[in-house]
Amino acid sequence: MKTFSALIVSLLFSCAALAIEVPYLSGRVTDNAEVLSAAAKERITNALKAHEEDTGNQVAVLTILSLDSGTVEDFATRVFESWKLGQKGKDNGVLLLVAPNDRRLRIEVGYGLEGTLTDVTSSRIIRNVITPRFKQNDFDGGIEQGVNAIIGQLSGNPVAMPADEGEKTSAKLSDAFANGADMSLTERLLIGTFVFSIIGLFTVVGVFTPGVGWFLYFFLIPFWAMFPLIIVGGKATLGLLTTYLIGFPAAKLYVRNRPWYLKAAQDLKTKGTANIGGFVVSSSGGSSRGGFSSSSSSSGGFSGGGGSSGGGGASGSW
């Protein structure tokens, strides 16, 4: 047992020994990987110094050749804790860590700045500003522009960044929702005529036919919510749906007390058929004169039994 415990302790110490050491904080830019030119290092240092003097935020850059099989997240955390970036009580520090041999980098953000330099923004800076330049072996440009983007975000003057593919896709979907599918005016007219003729016809049937009105009202809601979306876009569809949800009940309540409606309802109960505007409807399913059919709750047909169905920061690579 003692031998086993000694082995475990030995392994733990071995792992600790193998872990890469945190470099000494030699300045705002610690370029241990030697990927920056002297001119770029000086420009970045001056920019970080000016930002700290203006805001108190401490932003540092560290480059190391390799993480030695460790993770960029773990090492960035250890560096941040060792260097104690940011002012005490404000936690307003940021670390940009780059490991060229592993092609990994991370923006580590102090607690006090997480609301300003969010995970999403950090990820965008990595994807859209830094890594495109790293892929061209431009470490001067990648790190310098990345630092400028971080400073701009912290200062309230974010730099313009190109949208990545995921954001472009979201924008296209949002545009399609607002304006409808990408169709020509002729296609919209033809498809719109077809769609609105069908759901419009059934809406009229629901309003003017006794016995089936409220069933059709609820049945047609998803059709009014979805089909117009393709043709006129989300905003217009929302308007049409709202008009339908309010207009159908209002029209139904208006016509239900009209003499012809009361007579049609009585005829369906007593005769099984009724004449509505030249169309003959039948409670048993038959129709004549090109009319339509409807079912009546008083037809004595099949009905259900009342059942129901159950039912802080960002990492990257290049």
Side-chain angles (χ1 to χ4, degrees):
M1 185 66 180
K2 291 182 179 180
T3 303
F4 178 75
S5 299
L7 178 61
I8 294 298
V9 173
S10 176
L11 288 174
L12 291 174
F13 275 106
S14 297
C15 292
L18 290 173
I20 183 172
E21 294 183 359
V22 174
Y24 174 73
L25 177 60
S26 59
R28 291 180 173 83
V29 180
T30 304
D31 184 26
N32 286 1
E34 298 182 349
V35 295
L36 290 170
S37 66
K41 182 177 179 180
E42 183 178 2
R43 290 194 301 270
I44 295 170
T45 299
N46 291 336
L48 294 178
K49 180 181 179 181
H51 177 68
E52 183 175 352
E53 290 174 350
D54 289 341
T55 65
N57 300 329
Q58 287 189 331
V59 182
V61 176
L62 170 63
T63 71
I64 57 171
L65 281 176
S66 174
L67 296 164
D68 288 346
S69 301
T71 66
V72 68
E73 293 82 8
D74 175 67
F75 187 65
T77 300
R78 291 201 291 122
V79 171
F80 206 97
E81 292 175 349
S82 176
W83 286 5
K84 302 185 184 302
L85 297 176
Q87 298 174 333
K88 186 176 181 179
K90 292 186 177 180
D91 300 317
N92 54 342
V94 177
L95 171 67
L96 172 58
L97 170 64
V98 180
N101 286 2
D102 298 317
R103 306 176 73 86
R104 295 287 292 167
L105 73 156
R106 179 168 178 81
I107 298 174
E108 188 76 19
V109 183
Y111 291 117
L113 297 178
E114 288 182 344
T116 305
L117 185 60
T118 64
D119 294 356
V120 173
T121 302
S122 298
S123 182
R124 287 192 64 199
I125 292 173
I126 289 173
R127 291 194 311 270
N128 301 331
V129 177
I130 302 177
T131 57
R133 292 172 172 83
F134 280 7
K135 289 177 181 179
Q136 299 174 357
N137 291 320
D138 180 12
F139 288 96
D140 279 4
I143 294 176
E144 186 170 5
Q145 294 304 314
V147 166
N148 289 339
I150 292 171
I151 291 175
Q153 184 67 28
L154 295 177
S155 302
N157 300 301
V159 300
M161 289 184 286
D164 54 31
E165 290 303 317
E167 291 170 328
K168 290 178 181 177
T169 300
S170 297
K172 289 179 180 178
L173 291 174
S174 177
D175 183 67
F177 177 82
N179 302 315
D182 186 13
M183 296 185 294
S184 67
L185 178 60
T186 301
E187 291 173 327
R188 290 180 189 274
L189 289 174
L190 292 174
I191 297 176
T193 300
F194 173 75
V195 169
F196 289 118
S197 294
I198 293 176
I199 59 178
L201 174 62
F202 279 98
T203 300
V204 171
V205 170
V207 170
F208 291 102
T209 304
V212 297
W214 296 116
F215 167 78
L216 277 178
Y217 172 69
F218 291 106
F219 178 79
L220 290 173
I221 288 176
F223 292 91
W224 278 106
M226 291 304 299
F227 286 141
L229 185 64
I230 305 171
I231 304 163
V232 296
K235 293 181 179 179
T237 298
L238 183 60
L240 289 172
L241 178 61
T242 302
T243 301
Y244 171 77
L245 292 175
I246 298 174
F248 188 110
K252 190 70 174 177
L253 293 174
Y254 174 78
V255 302
R256 66 182 300 177
N257 294 320
R258 310 306 293 176
W260 60 266
Y261 187 94
L262 296 173
K263 182 177 185 303
Q266 183 64 28
D267 287 345
L268 283 173
K269 290 181 180 180
T270 57
K271 302 177 182 178
T273 60
N275 189 312
I276 303 175
F279 290 91
V280 177
V281 295
S282 172
S283 60
S284 60
S287 64
S288 62
R289 286 186 251 173
F292 47 81
S293 302
S294 64
S295 299
S296 172
S297 60
S298 62
S299 62
F302 176 79
S303 63
S308 62
S309 61
S315 304
S317 60
W318 72 95

